[in-house]
Amino acid sequence: MGLPNRRKLYILRSYSNNFLKLTNPWVALWWSAAFPGFGYILLGDFILGFILMLFELVVNTLGHINRSIYFSMIGDFEQAKEVLDKRWFLAYMAVYVFVIYDSYRRAVEYNKSYILAYREKIQDLNIFDLAPLGIGNLDKTSPANSVIWAALSSGVSSMYYKNIPNLIFSLFWIGLLSYKSRLLEGIHYTFIMDFSKAKEVLEPQWLLFFPSVYVFVIYHTYILSIYNNKCYDLTLSRFLKKHFQKKDFPLPIKEE
């Protein structure tokens, strides 16, 4: 009689899903450096990720950190030093460095848990969840298709997986940053070749948030698609093996 599974490979609900997955620790570290909280979201720690993203938004804005980075990028170092609020900046850096270290550490630990969970043959691998307010279904998806929709519609691509936390996260951040940075106005003036007006309306403090958020939404959508398919294949193969494969079925012998 086997022991019950101590770790889950994934969990499926009508409103969301989450996967225990292999993640390169350096990738998690890099995303935390790009935007505090992204490394945690990549690993599946959504609550911690959302809290740290709010921290980044508030402290970065109060400290004028992005504005200082903008002036540094155009070579105006005196103005960069003048606009930076050092009180907020020093408080920000302590959290920023720890988040980078902790996301790397968590990735290493979660990788170990994934390997152990994968080797546990007794797993509660369901592919369907029915609830009064929604339906959860694990099915094969196209990574390329999901990336295209993420690039075109950003947060709406989360509906591809019925992942409500990701949907709220993506729509909130893309919408907020687009509005506060006046990005769409800048794009409008760029299309009509009025580049001076486009440069004038853009708000660098908010605009510098946008590239990291936009690229992460696309990357995270791709990763979710890959592990969604892996979990589906694993669930189907174990179900067929348990219920339809004969016990005396001659398995192929792998050559050393």
Side-chain angles (χ1 to χ4, degrees):
M1 182 177 178
L3 294 174
N5 57 296
R6 301 178 63 190
R7 299 168 182 84
K8 291 182 179 293
L9 280 170
Y10 68 87
I11 186 169
L12 177 70
R13 293 291 183 267
S14 60
Y15 55 87
S16 182
N17 51 47
N18 202 355
F19 303 96
L20 187 62
K21 50 190 175 290
L22 287 175
T23 305
N24 188 325
W26 292 104
V27 173
L29 181 149
W30 188 90
W31 277 115
S32 287
F35 203 114
F38 280 178
Y40 291 87
I41 293 174
L42 182 64
L43 295 172
D45 287 327
F46 295 110
I47 299 299
L48 282 174
F50 295 160
I51 291 173
L52 286 168
M53 287 189 69
L54 288 174
F55 169 84
E56 164 73 11
L57 175 67
V58 172
V59 177
N60 191 313
T61 303
L62 292 175
H64 307 291
I65 296 173
N66 277 355
R67 190 178 295 275
S68 178
I69 293 173
Y70 166 74
F71 286 120
S72 299
M73 291 170 64
I74 63 175
D76 191 349
F77 300 109
E78 290 301 321
Q79 185 69 13
K81 290 190 292 184
E82 182 178 340
V83 300
L84 184 65
D85 190 324
K86 298 178 179 59
R87 294 170 298 177
W88 286 106
F89 176 71
L90 293 176
Y92 171 87
M93 288 306 299
V95 177
Y96 181 77
V97 173
F98 174 78
V99 166
I100 293 174
Y101 156 76
D102 192 52
S103 60
Y104 180 92
R105 180 192 64 81
R106 285 174 184 261
V108 172
E109 295 301 320
Y110 290 171
N111 287 348
K112 295 176 183 177
S113 297
Y114 174 85
I115 293 172
L116 292 173
Y118 184 85
R119 292 177 177 176
E120 291 180 4
K121 299 302 181 182
I122 302 177
Q123 283 278 349
D124 182 20
L125 302 176
N126 63 308
I127 62 171
F128 190 83
D129 183 57
L130 180 63
L133 299 181
I135 300 173
N137 185 35
L138 186 66
D139 203 354
K140 297 281 282 191
T141 59
S142 168
N145 194 26
S146 63
V147 166
I148 291 172
W149 278 111
L152 293 176
S153 59
S154 188
V156 181
S157 62
S158 297
M159 295 175 65
Y160 206 56
Y161 308 102
K162 301 182 180 70
N163 195 315
I164 302 304
N166 276 336
L167 176 64
I168 295 172
F169 154 76
S170 302
L171 289 178
F172 171 78
W173 280 100
I174 295 296
L176 176 67
L177 297 181
S178 297
Y179 178 80
K180 297 292 289 186
S181 67
R182 304 179 72 177
L183 176 64
L184 298 181
E185 291 181 61
I187 293 174
H188 166 73
Y189 287 118
T190 301
F191 280 160
I192 63 176
M193 308 297 287
D194 191 349
F195 300 113
S196 59
K197 186 65 175 178
K199 182 179 178 182
E200 180 183 337
V201 299
L202 290 174
E203 174 54 54
Q205 172 62 36
W206 291 91
L207 182 63
L208 291 183
F209 285 129
F210 192 86
S212 297
V213 175
Y214 182 73
V215 174
F216 178 76
V217 168
I218 296 174
Y219 176 77
H220 190 225
T221 300
Y222 175 77
I223 292 298
L224 285 179
S225 179
I226 294 296
Y227 274 92
N228 177 87
N229 292 346
K230 286 185 176 181
C231 289
Y232 178 85
D233 291 338
L234 177 64
T235 302
L236 183 60
S237 65
R238 291 191 177 180
F239 174 80
L240 294 175
K241 181 179 179 180
K242 179 179 179 181
H243 295 283
F244 294 96
Q245 181 174 293
K246 294 182 178 180
K247 294 182 179 180
D248 57 349
F249 182 81
L251 294 174
I253 300 176
K254 295 182 179 180
E255 297 181 2
E256 297 295 337

